[in-house]
Amino acid sequence: MISNSFRTLLTRRLSSSSSLLQIKVGDKLPSITLHQSSPGNQVDVGQLFSGKKGILFAVPGAFTPGCSKTHLPGYVQHYPDFKSKGMDVIACVSVNDAFVMDAWGKSADVGDKIQMLADTSAEFSKTIGLHFDATPVLGNVRSKRYAMVVEDGVIKHLSVEPDGTGLTCSLAQSVLELLD
């Protein structure tokens, strides 16, 4: 779990780095290139969800405690449930490099269930307004923790953790309940 001092620092940073233009329900995902497995394997987020139903969730950092012990494993565990609800694609985004995201996916046994996407320069996170300055703790700008349900590139539901890093509304179980 995250210590209280760590959570307090992140909460302060989140509240001081809010964006004027946070993406919202009804918006179309932007066409921004992320990386999967290696820098040469580019994935356009807008195209990834074009003509498909899916879940896009983001974490502040690969291999961090809440992300590794709870968030990502929940999506792996509930993958069959999401498929039975008609989800075509599930993707995880983090501000890390493609090699780290690939290694994290392998360590979590995601296989081909979850697409592990690297937002190397936080361009995607900044563009959708779901970023915060985690420089004192994680070394750079990071993505807030969120989950969105996307249909044909359009956001149908968006759950952003109230403090940007917690583990409540963006968890797999919470998103599954939205699909019922």
Side-chain angles (χ1 to χ4, degrees):
M1 292 316 276
I2 297 175
S3 72
N4 285 338
S5 60
F6 179 73
R7 185 173 299 282
T8 300
L9 178 61
L10 285 178
T11 301
R12 283 189 197 134
R13 287 289 177 171
L14 286 165
S15 63
S16 68
S17 65
S18 61
S19 175
L20 296 174
L21 298 174
Q22 179 177 307
I23 202 163
K24 61 189 180 311
V25 171
D27 287 348
K28 193 160 186 70
L29 284 176
S31 286
I32 292 181
T33 300
L34 299 179
H35 305 277
Q36 185 175 14
S37 304
S38 72
N41 190 13
Q42 299 180 345
V43 176
D44 180 306
V45 179
Q47 289 299 311
L48 179 63
F49 288 92
S50 180
K52 299 175 188 158
K53 292 181 181 180
I55 309 294
L56 178 65
F57 70 100
V59 299
F63 292 108
T64 57
C67 305
S68 293
K69 293 178 183 174
T70 306
H71 209 184
L72 179 59
Y75 282 91
V76 174
Q77 176 188 350
H78 290 290
Y79 175 80
D81 302 320
F82 284 115
K83 292 302 279 185
S84 74
K85 303 270 185 197
M87 298 297 108
D88 301 307
V89 61
I90 301 174
C92 175
V93 173
S94 185
V95 179
N96 287 105
D97 65 69
F99 301 113
V100 168
M101 290 299 287
D102 187 51
W104 187 38
K106 287 176 182 172
S107 75
D109 284 329
V110 302
D112 61 356
K113 297 174 185 167
I114 315 272
Q115 294 197 29
M116 305 297 288
L117 304 177
D119 185 10
T120 56
S121 63
E123 179 186 5
F124 179 73
S125 299
K126 289 175 183 177
T127 299
I128 66 172
L130 292 172
H131 65 287
F132 71 103
D133 183 4
T135 302
V137 180
L138 298 172
N140 57 353
V141 170
R142 295 297 179 119
S143 176
K144 292 181 180 180
R145 188 183 307 276
Y146 64 84
M148 59 177 74
V149 177
V150 181
E151 189 171 329
D152 194 22
V154 176
I155 299 168
K156 297 299 183 181
H157 186 83
L158 175 62
S159 297
V160 181
E161 292 295 343
D163 69 354
T165 61
L167 292 162
T168 58
C169 65
S170 66
L171 294 177
Q173 188 62 43
S174 298
V175 175
L176 270 173
E177 290 170 9
L178 297 171
L179 300 175
D180 286 336

